[in-house]
Amino acid sequence: MTRDEITSGLAEILEEVAGVNPDDVAEEKSFTDDLDVDSLSMVEVVVAAEEKFGVKIPDNEVQNLKTVGDAVTYIESNA
Amino acid sequence: MTGSRILAFGHYQPSRVLTNDDLAQIVDTNDEWIRDRVGIATRRIADSETVADMAGFAAEKALANAGLTPADIDLVVVATCSSVDRSPNVACRVAAKLGINAPGAYDLNTACSGFSYALGTVDHAIRAGAARNALVIGAEKLSDFTDWTDRSTCIIFGDGAGAAVVTAAAEDEAPGVGPVIWGSVPEKSDAVRIEGWRPYIAQEGQQVFRWATTALAPLALQACERAGVAPEDIAAFVPHQANARIIDGIAKRLGMPQAVVAKDIVESGNTSAASVPLALSKLIERREVPSGAPVLLFGFGGGLTYAGQVVRCP
């Protein structure tokens, strides 16, 4: 899976879970500051991403995923 | 072995209403943020009442609704994690207030899952012949343990009590309290805490949210299966009132579109072990659940612990 494919997969999840416009999703965007994803919605994103990408994202890793790019990198190296 | 059934519920909430606007006066928060994050509009705060006072008032109402007198009661179990006194326990204080003579009386602390745990132990006691008519009470005064300078927790909690009268079912009668599914997650013991001397409530919100919205629905469905009730026949789902988004998350995974889902959190906040009986008592009072209908109870919280069962609505 390429980084672009992971990003567009995350965009689908973000739209479904938090109503984020997929056009706004890019690697440099911060979940909290740019996309307005609150801490509980972030958990829903993580749970959905685990299912979609077949990856384990433990509780203590969630706080390190500040930007979409952080999440893409984590998924790319752990899937 | 005869089962048990619930005869009636009763509840008590203190009179003082604390609104989100009130909280905005003491910490940096606002009504929209609180409603969006936790789904709470108001909570009740006890000024003079103790945990035992609130438990006693709820128990009196439940007894009156059941048509029983204190003399009929031979077991009192109180689920609470916020009673300040070590001894006497709240159950003995309730028995003294109501004039119940020599009941078995003990408190049980599994934090927010307490009511379903207590109901499970009472069902077992009745099945074993150790009790015939019991009071099961969830009562909390969380305001005693709230850090009013911490905006992440002080918006959540409230005070109150709910009580049920449970009696032995007739020999030819189907049990009205289904088998309890209970357990704990000891490796997540840091997720919700009221620790130390003069403690405050603290929690890891994301960790709790994730556990609650992913792990609990399958356990709640087990409770339905053990009771022999199909999920689509459940008339009401009464989970611990932790956070409206947790309630929505669990309800979505349960797949019970027909069930009334208790949302007392909006007006009462999170009252820990009191929340399940409080919410169900109010649903019954408003006639939102028909008598005899199967209701799924499910508590979860600090420990982490969980417990739930299907009961027949009194």
Side-chain angles (χ1 to χ4, degrees):
Chain A
M1 233 183 190
T2 67
R3 290 187 72 89
D4 280 351
E5 285 167 339
I6 297 172
T7 304
S8 68
L10 283 171
E12 284 171 25
I13 291 172
L14 284 160
E15 184 180 21
E16 193 189 319
V17 168
V20 174
N21 182 345
D23 295 339
D24 294 342
V25 178
E27 288 211 19
E28 71 278 8
K29 294 288 177 69
S30 154
F31 289 109
T32 323
D33 300 335
D34 300 322
L35 304 178
D36 203 23
V37 177
D38 72 27
S39 65
L40 299 187
S41 293
M42 191 61 203
V43 172
E44 295 178 297
V45 169
V46 162
V47 169
E50 283 192 338
E51 283 170 18
K52 193 177 193 98
F53 300 109
V55 57
K56 280 267 165 252
I57 310 174
D59 288 333
N60 57 15
E61 196 59 49
V62 178
Q63 62 203 20
N64 299 330
L65 307 178
K66 306 278 190 220
T67 65
V68 174
D70 293 340
V72 173
T73 303
Y74 183 88
I75 291 164
E76 196 179 31
S77 48
N78 290 278
Chain B
M1 206 163 48
T2 314
S4 69
R5 66 191 170 98
I6 299 173
L7 279 177
F9 279 89
H11 66 272
Y12 175 81
Q13 292 186 284
S15 59
R16 179 153 72 94
V17 176
L18 186 69
T19 66
N20 293 342
D21 289 340
D22 295 335
L23 283 164
Q25 307 285 318
I26 54 175
V27 288
D28 180 17
T29 192
N30 62 67
D31 181 58
E32 189 193 346
W33 193 94
I34 296 172
R35 285 176 191 260
D36 196 41
R37 296 307 197 282
V38 293
I40 297 171
T42 61
R43 65 291 286 148
R44 301 296 186 96
I45 302 296
D47 291 311
S48 58
E49 304 95 326
T50 64
V51 172
D53 290 334
M54 293 188 282
F57 294 141
E60 272 174 353
K61 285 185 191 152
L63 264 186
N65 290 341
L68 295 188
T69 70
D72 297 316
I73 299 298
D74 54 10
L75 178 63
V76 180
V77 181
V78 178
T80 185
C81 65
S82 58
S83 174
V84 175
D85 297 336
R86 305 280 90 194
S87 186
N89 64 24
V90 179
C92 284
R93 285 213 160 111
V94 169
K97 282 172 193 296
L98 271 62
I100 301 169
N101 184 39
Y106 64 91
D107 292 359
L108 176 154
N109 177 1
T110 54
C112 303
S113 64
F115 184 80
S116 282
Y117 258 92
L119 181 58
T121 63
V122 162
D123 178 53
H124 301 162
I126 289 173
R127 284 172 182 271
R132 180 132 196 105
N133 294 308
L135 272 168
V136 188
I137 306 167
E140 301 282 11
K141 189 176 181 179
L142 297 170
S143 59
D144 275 347
F145 297 90
T146 300
D147 180 353
W148 295 105
T149 66
D150 177 2
R151 66 174 183 166
S152 74
T153 57
C154 75
I155 60 167
I156 298 173
F157 300 102
D159 303 332
V165 177
V166 184
T167 191
E171 277 191 23
D172 54 352
E173 181 185 16
V177 175
V180 65
I181 296 293
W182 62 20
S184 60
V185 191
E187 67 270 25
K188 292 191 196 293
S189 58
D190 283 346
V192 185
R193 308 177 300 280
I194 313 180
E195 289 179 326
W197 191 243
R198 302 205 56 128
Y200 287 135
I201 303 168
Q203 64 174 350
E204 306 306 320
Q206 283 187 315
Q207 199 185 335
V208 175
F209 182 81
R210 182 175 186 167
W211 171 70
T213 54
T214 58
L216 300 183
L219 295 162
L221 289 170
Q222 264 183 45
C224 297
E225 195 186 326
R226 290 291 311 281
V229 177
E232 57 269 27
D233 292 333
I234 295 289
F237 173 47
V238 186
H240 166 50
Q241 304 287 296
N243 174 320
R245 286 166 65 178
I246 289 180
I247 296 171
D248 292 340
I250 300 173
K252 199 169 124 191
R253 283 184 185 240
L254 282 177
M256 299 177 178
Q258 78 293 344
V260 173
V261 177
K263 278 284 192 71
D264 185 46
I265 183 158
V266 177
E267 49 187 51
S268 302
N270 175 340
T271 59
S272 191
S275 81
V276 168
L278 183 57
L280 182 51
S281 181
K282 290 164 86 169
L283 283 179
I284 293 169
E285 199 172 74
R286 292 198 299 264
R287 300 179 191 281
E288 289 185 43
V289 189
S291 178
V295 176
L296 173 60
L297 312 181
F298 206 88
F300 52 92
L304 296 172
T305 60
Y306 57 84
Q309 62 270 93
V310 175
V311 302
R312 203 162 57 229
C313 188

